[in-house]
Amino acid sequence: MITDPWFIALAIPSVIMIGLSKGGFAGAGAIALPLMSIVAPPLMVAAVLLPILLALDVVAVRLYRDSYDRTTLLYTLPASLVGVAVAWVVAAQIEAAYFKVLIGAIGIVFTLNIWIRPTITEPRNHSLPRGTFWGAVTGFTSFVTLTGGPPFQIYVLPLRLPHRIYAGTFIIFMAINNVVKVGPFVTLGQFTTSTLWTSLLLLPLAFLATLAGAKLVNLVSSALFYRLIHILMFVVSIKLITDGFTSILAG
């Protein structure tokens, strides 16, 4: 098990956020990998979090297995696998410092997209070119940060799908992507006895947070909760970029 106190200190709130995201606060888990990457190599963080996500995906897919939009998956999922493959190649070639800069940049784009995104009025129709492009981008970012929410939302939100259908489509999309990532992470040598034991010990906390999220989603102000998450994401992203460039220049 990983015993570094700073790692554990950031892993606990990160896993709680992942659980809350599965319990109803969709997107909250986006902060997990960037936050933990402040004190550990991003790929090692991903190796710890991915088994937890896979375990939670089993429960989530079971809940939403009959609620999804088939066309969205057909237009986005194949391209996302290409995006995962590209990210796999990139991850094998670049050092941790560059990976931190990449994760920080994605985090800043994510928060800026949330803050400046125009209000959606009329629903848009499906588009294979747009679905292919944003599916590929989602696959890439889901490998790098373990969340593909922002680019996936850029394609799907304008469709104005019913909330449950949107949630189920995203859950199934990410569950398939997470399964596909297992092979690349094995070849990159990221799964070790230490990371797997850490995942196993953090898993009960993730399940408890999922149950808590299901209870709290109707009691806590979602607007305030997400506002705080987005501000934290922006600050953490700047920290990662700064640390990454500092390491690059020092090396």
Side-chain angles (χ1 to χ4, degrees):
M1 177 184 172
I2 300 171
T3 57
D4 178 74
W6 283 111
F7 183 90
I8 299 301
L10 293 183
I12 290 173
S14 296
V15 169
I16 289 174
M17 287 300 173
I18 288 175
L20 290 176
S21 72
K22 298 295 184 180
F25 293 93
I31 190 63
L33 188 139
L35 184 61
M36 293 172 66
S37 294
I38 293 175
V39 295
L43 286 179
M44 187 186 79
V45 172
V48 171
L49 295 180
L50 184 55
I52 295 173
L53 287 168
L54 288 169
L56 296 180
D57 283 341
V58 172
V59 178
V61 169
R62 184 173 178 81
L63 291 174
Y64 286 91
R65 64 186 182 276
D66 297 323
S67 303
Y68 62 92
D69 184 66
R70 185 182 301 272
T71 303
T72 297
L73 294 178
L74 287 174
Y75 282 11
T76 59
L77 193 53
S80 76
L81 304 184
V82 176
V84 168
V86 172
W88 177 16
V89 173
V90 171
Q93 301 297 322
I94 66 175
E95 298 177 1
Y98 291 94
F99 225 74
K100 284 191 175 186
V101 173
L102 180 58
I103 293 171
I106 292 173
I108 287 177
V109 171
F110 166 80
T111 51
L112 290 179
N113 174 66
I114 294 294
W115 290 337
I116 67 177
R117 183 172 57 201
T119 302
I120 300 169
T121 54
E122 297 298 323
R124 297 181 68 175
N125 294 323
H126 281 288
S127 166
L128 181 57
R130 284 191 292 109
T132 299
F133 175 78
W134 289 114
V137 175
T138 302
F140 183 90
T141 59
S142 75
F143 188 94
V144 174
T145 68
L146 292 187
T147 177
F152 189 81
Q153 290 171 351
I154 290 174
Y155 176 72
V156 177
L157 287 181
L159 302 176
R160 302 293 292 275
L161 299 174
H163 179 74
R164 184 172 176 81
I165 298 297
Y166 164 75
T169 303
F170 183 61
I171 285 170
I172 292 171
F173 178 97
M174 289 305 302
I176 294 173
N177 268 254
N178 286 337
V179 170
V180 170
K181 293 173 209 167
V182 173
F185 272 92
V186 170
T187 64
L188 291 171
Q190 294 303 312
F191 291 125
T192 65
T193 302
S194 179
T195 64
L196 292 174
W197 269 112
T198 304
S199 302
L200 183 62
L201 291 173
L202 289 171
L203 184 58
L205 179 61
F207 276 118
L208 289 175
T210 301
L211 296 176
K215 297 289 186 181
L216 294 173
V217 69
N218 294 320
L219 302 176
V220 176
S221 169
S222 295
L224 177 60
F225 178 82
Y226 283 117
R227 191 175 299 118
L228 294 174
I229 291 296
H230 296 152
I231 292 172
L232 180 60
M233 172 70 85
F234 191 80
V235 172
V236 168
S237 298
I238 292 176
K239 169 67 173 172
L240 288 175
I241 292 174
T242 302
D243 289 350
F245 275 121
T246 299
S247 297
I248 292 168
L249 294 174

